[in-house]
Amino acid sequence: MLNDKKVLYSGMQATGTLTLGNYLGALKNWVNLSDEYECFYGVMDLHSLTVRQVPADFRKNARSLYALYVAAGLDPKKNCLYYQSHVSAHAELGWILDCFTYMGELNRMTQFKDKAAKHADNINAGLYTYPVLMAADILLYQADMVPVGVDQKQHLEICRDIAERFNNIYGEVFTIPEAYIPKAGAKIMSLQEPEKKMSKSDENVNATIRLLDDPDTIIRKFKRAVTDSGSEVRYSEDKPGVSNLMSIYGCVTGKTMEEIEREFDGKGYGDFKLAVGETVADELKPLQKRYEELMADKAFIDGCIKENDEKARYFANKTLRKVQKKVGLTEQIR
Ligand code: AQP
């Protein structure tokens, strides 16, 4: 690497406008890690193809995701923010690693089962081998650390297994990555079905807070959030709706669950939901303003993408060449 910092890798799919779950579970933490690590963050557009995309919307979503990375505070000079599809080494290493992954391992992946149930008309091979491409993403950059929400923990475990299997055969080729799961915000739930995680591809508009929702919309969605019977603001397993709102409020304000319980002692759900809505709307205002400025500055974003794509290609190709050599693929004659 460029310096002796440890390497961190993560990314998001360009499958729709980011949600508060993506922000609190991932993006907000990424910003705090930039100084300590050499960071690579991808716009994971190849992964997004596992679900059918409308091409024009897909392109817009990918660009919007890139601008949201920057608007949230990721400095494109300090972090390598790039497009996955612009670095062909991802697909190339993905194929090689497919040949080192067992179907039995992939059969156990719960995200595949969930997504197959959700997209029963399009259970494609990409959806099935998604964790192998994700392993390639991480291993190409020799990442030490991968910050993810709890939903991605199983994928990181299979990535480690694949890397260890490869290293056992060919020597120390890959760094074995560790998962970094944030203490707070690791799993933000749907506002309408609090037993389901908040997802950007959810079609129920009231279930998700989008990072680009205006303040009135945010407050309205929180007011409509499903709560539980009773009227007490208390964190407990039998109150998934209220507990989810408390986690959100805690993540944004830094308050503990006990502090929140004390703050809303004797007040009803109405006051609580309004406070959460207003707090989230205020948190997102600066990000939204910066996002508008960035989307209007085409040259700046294009320049960032070009420069960072090149940087990502340089590091990814170094690992790919090493892997190709190890498995015995012959070099191109130039
Ligand atoms: N609800 C969530 N709570 C906390 N973290 C979350 N993440 C996603 N949802 C939550 C984290 O966000 C990052 C981006 O994930 P992704 O775009 O690669 O795919 P995903 O996990 O499948 O996210 P979505 O929003 O649910 O997308 P769709 O609807 O397209 O499947 C990851 O670090 C994830 O842990």
Side-chain angles (χ1 to χ4, degrees):
M1 266 304 131
L2 300 169
N3 46 50
D4 51 14
K5 282 184 185 172
K6 288 200 165 186
V7 178
L8 186 150
Y9 189 90
S10 205
M12 293 194 194
Q13 297 184 75
T15 37
T17 309
L18 294 192
T19 71
L20 191 61
N22 300 128
Y23 177 71
L24 296 178
L27 199 48
K28 192 171 157 72
N29 301 306
W30 294 0
V31 175
N32 301 326
L33 296 163
S34 306
D35 286 332
E36 203 180 326
Y37 293 90
E38 183 70 41
C39 299
F40 291 83
Y41 295 114
V43 168
M44 311 317 283
D45 47 359
L46 293 177
H47 282 285
S48 314
L49 287 174
T50 53
V51 172
R52 200 72 72 228
Q53 304 293 332
V54 176
D57 295 347
F58 183 29
R59 271 191 286 275
K60 262 192 231 148
N61 284 337
R63 182 127 181 138
S64 163
L65 176 59
Y66 195 95
L68 279 172
Y69 282 179
V70 183
L74 292 176
D75 180 347
K77 295 276 172 212
K78 272 183 16 195
N79 302 275
C80 184
L81 311 177
Y82 73 102
Y83 276 54
Q84 181 191 29
S85 65
H86 297 182
V87 182
S88 59
H90 286 258
E92 293 177 71
L93 182 63
W95 171 256
I96 296 176
L97 296 184
D98 273 336
C99 304
F100 289 84
T101 308
Y102 297 114
M103 300 208 17
E105 291 176 302
L106 293 176
N107 287 340
R108 288 197 290 273
M109 296 295 114
T110 55
Q111 182 177 287
F112 171 72
K113 289 177 199 163
D114 292 348
K115 292 216 167 167
K118 218 159 127 187
H119 305 279
D121 55 340
N122 182 21
I123 306 176
N124 59 69
L127 203 57
Y128 187 65
T129 58
Y130 181 112
V132 189
L133 182 59
M134 180 166 158
D137 304 333
I138 296 165
L139 301 177
L140 273 176
Y141 300 91
Q142 305 290 357
D144 298 281
M145 186 74 102
V146 183
V148 283
V150 260
D151 57 315
Q152 292 291 335
K153 197 166 163 256
Q154 200 184 26
H155 287 171
L156 202 73
E157 280 158 11
I158 193 173
C159 167
R160 288 166 57 92
D161 290 343
I162 298 168
E164 278 167 2
R165 181 170 307 137
F166 196 93
N167 283 358
N168 281 338
I169 307 173
Y170 300 105
E172 294 305 301
V173 177
F174 295 125
T175 303
I176 309 296
E178 299 284 340
Y180 171 90
I181 298 182
K183 279 185 223 79
K187 199 165 185 185
I188 301 298
M189 311 308 277
S190 152
L191 296 189
Q192 292 299 316
E193 295 169 83
E195 53 295 328
K196 256 178 55 183
K197 82 160 183 157
M198 187 182 282
S199 267
K200 58 177 123 55
S201 56
D202 197 323
E203 279 161 15
N204 181 347
V205 285
N206 289 319
T208 58
I209 299 293
R210 305 281 168 176
L211 295 192
L212 299 176
D213 280 346
D214 62 61
D216 289 345
T217 307
I218 294 175
I219 293 169
R220 197 182 60 240
K221 286 183 181 177
F222 275 110
K223 279 187 180 161
R224 288 189 186 157
V226 169
T227 35
D228 317 278
S229 56
S231 61
E232 226 185 328
V233 176
R234 185 168 46 82
Y235 192 85
S236 111
E237 252 178 47
D238 62 345
K239 285 175 164 280
V242 170
S243 298
N244 184 38
L245 298 185
M246 288 176 75
S247 300
I248 294 173
Y249 190 64
C251 263
V252 177
T253 59
K255 292 178 184 166
T256 64
M257 295 304 115
E258 295 73 37
E259 284 170 334
I260 300 170
E261 283 173 0
R262 273 200 300 279
E263 185 179 344
F264 292 96
D265 188 24
K267 296 183 186 158
Y269 286 160
D271 286 349
F272 173 56
K273 290 202 235 179
L274 181 64
V276 183
E278 287 176 345
T279 306
V280 170
D282 283 348
E283 164 87 4
L284 296 180
K285 268 182 205 155
L287 176 152
Q288 294 176 342
K289 185 167 175 283
R290 181 81 184 112
Y291 172 83
E292 292 305 331
E293 291 162 4
L294 287 163
M295 288 302 274
D297 194 346
K298 186 173 181 308
F300 175 73
I301 292 285
D302 283 349
C304 295
I305 296 173
K306 185 169 183 291
E307 204 173 296
N308 281 308
D309 281 352
E310 272 165 28
K311 180 175 169 188
R313 271 196 292 269
Y314 171 78
F315 289 107
N317 284 334
K318 246 167 79 165
T319 302
L320 180 67
R321 297 286 166 263
K322 198 167 168 186
V323 170
Q324 287 171 330
K325 236 170 143 172
K326 289 282 184 187
V327 299
L329 291 167
T330 38
E331 266 188 64
Q332 287 177 47
I333 299 163
R334 294 179 195 274

